[in-house]
């Protein structure tokens, strides 16, 4: 079951969207001014001209039609091939919304519920413990494994409250165990990957802290168990092929497409001190639902338009409007008493739904719309969906180091162009 509070929130959001589209009651439509869009273009051109990025693509689509589309610079400074619509990007965490949509398809079909324990599909999760650091009398710190207060659920996986973190050195004993497990460099299947992660402790009690990590990768394996297919097989059957997302996959199998890959600047290839951007020309067995997909801007635009249109694209329904509304509702608000980790990526004006950050308050000095939902990838790509303005935006670039700065600047300029 969705849960009473979440269902009410979803229905309120859905009702609001229906009222907003009801003829005379609809507020004045905001449009993007040519002068404002010129500033957007100037900003991106300057990023390319000053050598911060090789190139980029920006698409803004409103009322189902592109209102701004422009290619900038080159795919790769080594080849000097111009950026173009068929350029292929590493999407990283922009994979998460895709996996979340697949899970919600199963929820709609009654094959999965948000309250299901993950152990129902992955029995090894029934033995999960929480790792807690305890200081002994001699001052030494030891990692103690404690029982979970309740099982990890599907909803925990979708809203990042599972206690499954991304590991890094210096982040505490549990995170260091995850870092030492070298999970990002896995050559395992999803089944083997999840078996490996189930042998590690949780970093917090389930349902207590928003903590970004491997939750969506585990969700991908749940989808495999229920569907009886690999994650990509199920995605192609139910979403990718019907939507026309023919360039979206987990690596590039056709060598003829290699020149179309976007690459970061030569000195900007590190995701973190120990991990470089992935070589997507190399086949991988790990179909990472949390960060493994590659694709083009045109493919992701079809996905974004389907979400903005309430689950329908080109006459075919993928999800119900109330399901989209539920996903785009805040599921970690104050009433849940869920804490936020120190690196809370959605930011202070946003909560988190089922696969996306969700705007819950207006940032100071702006008129940014409530209900906007979005996510990004560590390789630099980002997208946002703005139901109030019937608008979505997708920015494709490969730059691990400059992504946060550029994303904030571009979002600011785009909304200024709308008078927000």
């Amino acid at each position: 079951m969705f849960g009473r509070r979440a269902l009410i929130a979803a229905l309120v959001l859905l009702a609001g969207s229906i009222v907003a589209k009801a003829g005379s009651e609809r507020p004045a439509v905001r449009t993007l001014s040519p002068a404002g869009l010129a500033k957007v273009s100037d900003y991106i051109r300057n990023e390319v001209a000053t050598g911060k990025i090789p190139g980029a693509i920006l698409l803004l689509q409103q009322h189902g039609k592109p209102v701004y589309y422009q290619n900038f610079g080159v795919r790769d400074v080594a080849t000097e091939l111009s950026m173009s619509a068929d350029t292929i990007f590493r999407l990283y965490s922009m994979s998460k919304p895709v996996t979340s949509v697949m899970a919600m398809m199963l929820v709609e079909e009654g094959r999965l519920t948000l309250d299901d324990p993950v152990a129902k599909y992955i029995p090894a999760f029934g033995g999960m413990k929480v790792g807690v650091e305890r200081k002994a009398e001699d001052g030494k710190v030891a990692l103690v494994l404690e029982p979970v207060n309740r099982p990890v659920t599907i909803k925990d996986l979708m809203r990042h409250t599972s206690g499954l973190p991304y590991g890094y050195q210096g982040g505490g004993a549990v995170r260091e165990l995850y870092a030492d497990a070298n999970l990002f460099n896995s050559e395992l299947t999803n089944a083997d990957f999840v078996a490996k992660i189930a042998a590690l402790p949780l970093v917090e009690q389930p349902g207590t802290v928003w903590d970004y990590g491997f939750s969506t990768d585990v969700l991908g394996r749940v989808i495999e168990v229920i569907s009886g297919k690999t994650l990509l097989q199920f995605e192609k059957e139910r979403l990718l092929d019907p939507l026309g997302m023919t360039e979206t996959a987990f690596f590039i199998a056709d060598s003829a497409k290699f020149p179309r890959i976007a690459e970061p600047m030569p000195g900007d290839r590190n995701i973190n001190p120990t991990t470089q951007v992935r070589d997507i020309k190399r086949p991988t067995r790990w179909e990472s639902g949390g960060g493994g997909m590659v694709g083009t801007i045109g493919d992701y635009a079809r996905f974004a338009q389907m979400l903005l249109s309430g689950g329908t694209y080109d006459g075919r329904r993928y999800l119900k409007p109330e399901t989209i509304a539920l996903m785009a509702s805040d599921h970690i608000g104050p009433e849940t008493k869920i804490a936020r980790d120190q690196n809370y990526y959605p930011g202070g004006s946003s909560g988190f739904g089922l696969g996306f950050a969700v705007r819950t308050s207006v940032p100071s000095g702006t008129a940014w719309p409530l209900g906007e939902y979005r996510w990004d990838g560590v390789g630099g790509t980002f997208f946002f969906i703005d139901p109030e303005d019937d608008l979505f935006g997708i920015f494709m670039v490969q730059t691990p180091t400059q992504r946060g700065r550029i994303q904030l600047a571009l979002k600011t300029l785009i909304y200024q162009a709308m008078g927000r």
Side-chain angles (χ1 to χ4, degrees), residues 32 37 58-70 301 305 391-392:
L32 292 145
L37 290 177
L58 176 62
L59 167 66
L60 301 173
Q61 186 154 306
Q62 190 173 34
H63 311 317
K65 296 181 180 180
V67 291
Y68 178 97
Y69 174 86
Q70 196 157 340
Q305 185 63 59
L391 170 79
F392 74 79

Side-chain angles (χ1 to χ4, degrees), residues 32-48 53 56-60 67-72 382 384 393-395 406-418:
L32 292 145
S33 73
L37 290 177
K39 291 180 180 179
V40 170
S41 299
D42 288 345
Y43 176 84
I44 302 172
R45 284 195 198 96
N46 184 65
E47 292 295 303
V48 175
I53 58 174
I57 309 176
L58 176 62
L59 167 66
L60 301 173
V67 291
Y68 178 97
Y69 174 86
Q70 196 157 340
N71 302 311
F72 300 87
F382 75 85
F384 67 95
I394 304 173
F395 185 63
I406 291 175
Q407 181 177 160
L408 178 59
L410 272 181
K411 285 287 291 294
T412 301
L413 288 170
I414 290 166
Y415 276 126
Q416 284 176 351
M418 296 192 77

Side-chain angles (χ1 to χ4, degrees), residues 93 96 160 166-168 175 210-213 271 332 340-352 356-359 374-376 378 403-404 407:
S93 287
K96 289 179 170 72
H160 293 285
Y166 284 142
Y168 56 90
R175 295 180 200 278
W210 187 94
D211 202 335
Y212 201 50
I271 298 299
I332 61 165
R340 302 178 177 192
D341 75 351
Q342 60 181 359
N343 300 314
Y344 182 65
Y345 300 115
S349 66
S350 295
F352 202 84
F356 321 95
V358 180
R359 182 82 57 200
R374 65 196 185 278
W375 206 235
D376 57 85
V378 74
R403 62 192 180 95
Q407 181 177 160

